[in-house]
Amino acid sequence: MAARSTHSKILILDFGSQYTQVIARRIRECQVYSEIVRFDTSAAEIAALKPNGLILSGGPASVYDKGAPQIDPQIFSLGIPVLGICYGLMLMAHHLSGQVVFTGRREYGAGMLHIKNGSELFDGLGNQLDVWNSHGDEVTALPKGFRVVGTTEGCNFAAVEDRQRKLYGLQFHPEVAHTPRGREILQNFLYHICQCAMDWTMGSFIEEACARVRKQVGDQKVVLGLSGGVDSSVTAALLHKAIGDQLTCIFVNNGLLRAREEEIVQRVFGENFHVRLKYVDASDRFLTLLKGVTDPETKRKLIGNEFIKVFQRATEELLEEDRRNGERKLATATPSGGGHGGYKFLAQGTLYPDVIESVSIEGNPAQVIKSHHNVGGLPDKMHFELVEPVRQLFKDEVRQAGLQLGLPKEIVYRQPFPGPGLAVRILGEVTPERLAILREADTIVQSEMEAADWYYKVWQSFAVLLPVQSVGVMGDQRTYENTVVLRIVESQDGMTADWVRLPFELLARISARISNEVKGVNRVCFDISSKPPSTIEWE
Ligand code: XMP
């Protein structure tokens, strides 16, 4: 979904770098809209998208590799400014008849860039800069029209340009934090070379997204599965702003939620936002299904399938309620092209990283990083048309949008919570008694993390209940009770993670409170596994 063509826009041709999304985010942080497209997008397609500039990402390949990703060379003749980063620079040099050699060694790590010849790219940046390198090939002779504008110790062509044709190349990575003034280099490219305006703001995004939604759904009704997580919450708030009561949110209590979760969601969305909210308490159904089940995958499948059934039923009930309430006009509007009764559209909080077509290049770490949790399932089975108003946004942008839409911080910055809920944090059988123990322990973890100002600094912090009992002593009594594990991790995206080195005092407080206050627990352990090889959740 492209932004309005009146926007400034940068296209990033993805050659499989692990940093491609970082480039896109950096540019958006400069308030310029950016989109990632495949490396083999043709010059004609690119011209049709009317970007202000192009960035060629880095990538793991060597230009000499068999099957190395190639670019349509016509792109260099479109008159659109191009910035090649690392592999992007090699390709540019290679295609424009410069010379690139494969050095056989990888230059990796920090370096010092010496700036010369006054390039616009380095306006205001002085004579030298700390930069971050990660490359194998190296340019050894420049194409005609190019000149050197920066060198490093190991490389005579670390920054080059053909000012006439507006082609620029950097051997190093301006997008990473290890190039501290990289943002300014990108800003020079965006504002001075590409003439981009700073028109990508959350305010303008929200207005445009609302207009798009109104155009898409007309006077039809939309249903949204609200989980209380950030993505579905922001989607709900945005749609509510756009179409008011045409939106109904369904919140399913599967009996596997954290303490007070249903209360929070009903308070925020029902009472504050006045969103039409259908609360479905299906706890009994889920817990009955889970009786005797101990296998993790079976648990997940049962929960996933049951959710679909419950959701489907809830939609039918909604329709019935609409009829009863005499909303005949809307309720009897027969949807064209499928849908579920009068609800033609299903809204989802799909984000940009879920929709970027990942480039498959050997050795590309980005390949492996693909979410396996984005719960699909619903749409295909139910023939809804999808409404995905935040599919252009990165996670940090979704949070900004949420704040702007008036959602409270406790929703916007909340930690991720898995769809199957506490069921994957109770090893072995899920029973009401064990759920009660885990909820209580989990509440203590959250409140102590918040009180110590750690909650928002970590990716996730939660308790896990093991089917393991051990001997303890309480007063003069011998106990034989359950074990709770603390899982507290930091992560960028959930794909890799490390355990957080929490202060011992905080760990001690959490441990003492759990064993003193939660009946049925006499031992607390701290999980010190990273991902990989472990996962964040225990099941
Ligand atoms: P793992 O356990 O695979 O989890 O390391 C990575 C991240 O994904 C979350 N997670 C889920 N999210 N539905 C979700 O929406 C799920 O079924 C699910 N399972 C795990 C997990 O909490 C962590 O943030």
Side-chain angles (χ1 to χ4, degrees):
M1 191 191 300
R4 249 185 12 206
S5 56
T6 48
H7 264 305
S8 292
K9 177 168 38 181
I10 296 290
L11 293 182
I12 300 156
L13 274 68
D14 180 20
F15 294 92
S17 165
Q18 58 179 318
Y19 298 130
T20 302
Q21 289 193 28
V22 181
I23 302 174
R25 279 161 60 181
R26 291 286 164 272
I27 292 170
R28 291 185 183 195
E29 282 161 17
C30 299
Q31 294 182 344
V32 174
Y33 181 67
S34 67
E35 244 178 62
I36 297 170
V37 296
R38 286 182 55 90
F39 64 86
D40 51 6
T41 308
S42 72
E45 287 170 275
I46 286 183
L49 291 167
K50 297 195 172 65
N52 297 59
L54 301 176
I55 292 186
L56 314 182
S57 84
S62 157
V63 288
Y64 294 113
D65 285 347
K66 224 168 72 196
Q70 294 303 331
I71 193 173
D72 176 350
Q74 293 304 319
I75 280 170
F76 299 115
S77 315
L78 290 173
I80 301 171
V82 181
L83 173 64
I85 296 174
C86 197
Y87 182 79
L89 161 63
M90 303 309 144
L91 262 188
M92 189 151 49
H94 188 61
H95 278 292
L96 298 173
S97 312
Q99 214 174 63
V100 176
V101 294
F102 175 61
T103 56
R105 66 188 156 84
R106 238 186 137 70
E107 187 181 1
Y108 183 82
M112 179 66 74
L113 181 77
H114 299 280
I115 295 170
K116 50 184 68 165
N117 295 330
S119 169
E120 264 180 302
L121 265 189
F122 303 119
D123 264 358
L125 288 171
N127 297 327
Q128 47 186 37
L129 285 181
D130 292 317
V131 297
W132 185 259
N133 291 299
S134 169
H135 60 94
D137 288 347
E138 207 174 294
V139 175
T140 46
L142 286 180
K144 219 163 142 238
F146 275 77
R147 63 180 187 148
V148 176
V149 291
T151 59
T152 58
E153 194 141 309
C155 174
N156 292 329
F157 303 98
V160 301
E161 70 173 22
D162 177 340
R163 205 168 192 156
Q164 203 74 37
R165 288 189 284 175
K166 292 194 184 333
L167 304 177
Y168 300 81
L170 301 174
Q171 174 88 289
F172 57 91
H173 290 271
E175 70 276 21
V176 302
H178 302 297
T179 301
R181 302 190 71 181
R183 173 189 296 262
E184 291 164 78
I185 301 174
L186 291 174
Q187 284 173 331
N188 282 336
F189 180 68
L190 300 174
Y191 306 146
H192 300 148
I193 295 167
C194 301
Q195 310 291 331
C196 290
M198 295 165 73
D199 52 14
W200 175 248
T201 62
M202 271 311 125
S204 70
F205 168 80
I206 289 170
E207 291 311 316
E208 286 165 29
C210 285
R212 266 197 301 267
V213 167
R214 284 186 207 112
K215 186 158 175 251
Q216 185 188 0
V217 309
D219 62 0
Q220 299 280 345
K221 291 192 286 187
V222 181
V223 70
L224 164 75
L226 181 63
S227 70
V230 183
D231 307 343
S232 69
S233 296
V234 175
T235 304
L238 184 68
L239 287 179
H240 182 64
K241 182 178 165 73
I243 55 171
D245 278 352
Q246 279 169 265
L247 168 74
T248 304
C249 296
I250 297 177
F251 178 77
V252 175
N253 182 349
N254 57 9
L256 306 164
L257 304 173
R258 287 159 295 190
R260 294 183 47 244
E261 183 68 16
E262 64 276 22
E263 212 181 292
I264 297 171
V265 171
Q266 290 187 83
R267 178 164 45 77
V268 170
F269 288 95
E271 292 167 27
N272 295 2
F273 270 85
H274 303 292
V275 168
R276 279 192 73 189
L277 181 64
K278 183 175 175 61
Y279 171 71
V280 184
D281 185 353
S283 318
D284 289 345
R285 288 179 61 162
F286 282 88
L287 295 190
T288 308
L289 261 181
L290 287 170
K291 256 194 197 132
V293 179
T294 54
D295 176 62
E297 273 315 298
T298 314
K299 278 185 194 173
R300 279 179 172 273
K301 281 210 184 84
L302 285 173
I303 296 166
N305 292 339
E306 190 59 19
F307 179 80
I308 294 172
K309 282 189 209 150
V310 171
F311 192 86
Q312 214 153 4
R313 256 252 323 264
T315 321
E316 283 156 15
E317 283 171 13
L318 271 182
L319 210 57
E320 219 18 70
E321 286 164 25
D322 286 351
R323 285 212 182 90
R324 274 204 306 272
N325 290 339
E327 289 185 24
R328 294 205 174 275
K329 200 170 139 246
L330 276 174
T332 53
T334 324
S336 49
H340 207 80
Y343 288 81
K344 180 178 176 185
F345 294 95
L346 174 74
Q348 281 194 329
T350 314
L351 300 193
Y352 194 46
D354 306 326
V355 298
I356 299 169
E357 206 184 329
S358 68
V359 173
S360 172
I361 293 162
E362 212 179 316
N364 172 12
Q367 261 184 101
V368 194
I369 301 172
K370 197 71 200 161
S371 167
H372 57 291
H373 294 313
N374 286 306
V375 226
L378 277 178
D380 282 358
K381 289 190 184 245
M382 299 178 73
H383 312 293
F384 278 113
E385 200 175 302
L386 288 183
V387 182
E388 299 177 306
V390 295
R391 63 180 274 138
Q392 277 176 295
L393 302 188
F394 286 109
K395 191 85 177 186
D396 46 341
E397 294 175 316
V398 169
R399 292 195 213 276
Q400 280 174 41
L403 289 177
Q404 195 130 349
L405 287 159
L407 284 173
K409 188 177 163 195
E410 65 179 318
I411 296 268
V412 167
Y413 286 103
R414 67 188 352 203
Q415 296 174 358
F417 185 67
L422 300 181
V424 294
R425 297 178 181 174
I426 292 178
L427 279 74
E429 189 182 357
V430 179
T431 63
E433 297 74 35
R434 296 182 72 73
L435 275 166
I437 293 177
L438 183 58
R439 270 195 197 107
E440 226 182 306
D442 189 65
T443 304
I444 293 175
V445 177
Q446 300 320 327
S447 73
E448 288 299 332
M449 289 293 287
E450 277 176 40
D453 240 355
W454 273 94
Y455 177 85
Y456 294 110
K457 291 185 193 149
V458 305
W459 174 261
Q460 271 170 308
S461 47
F462 56 86
V464 177
L465 181 61
L466 301 190
V468 171
Q469 285 177 297
S470 67
V471 173
V473 54
M474 180 142 319
D476 294 331
Q477 296 281 315
R478 176 184 179 279
T479 59
Y480 189 58
E481 300 283 17
N482 294 289
T483 310
V484 158
V485 177
L486 306 179
R487 185 65 168 142
I488 301 170
V489 295
E490 54 192 17
S491 170
Q492 289 301 314
D493 50 14
M495 297 302 154
T496 60
D498 199 6
W499 56 282
V500 179
R501 276 56 169 176
L502 278 189
F504 285 169
E505 303 73 44
L506 177 56
L507 286 172
R509 212 161 37 245
I510 295 174
S511 163
R513 278 197 61 195
I514 291 177
S515 19
N516 287 332
E517 296 173 30
V518 184
K519 212 162 158 279
V521 179
N522 66 352
R523 194 172 294 277
V524 178
C525 302
F526 186 40
D527 182 348
I528 52 167
S529 331
S530 62
K531 173 183 180 176
S534 297
T535 48
I536 296 175
E537 304 291 345
W538 273 49
E539 287 193 339

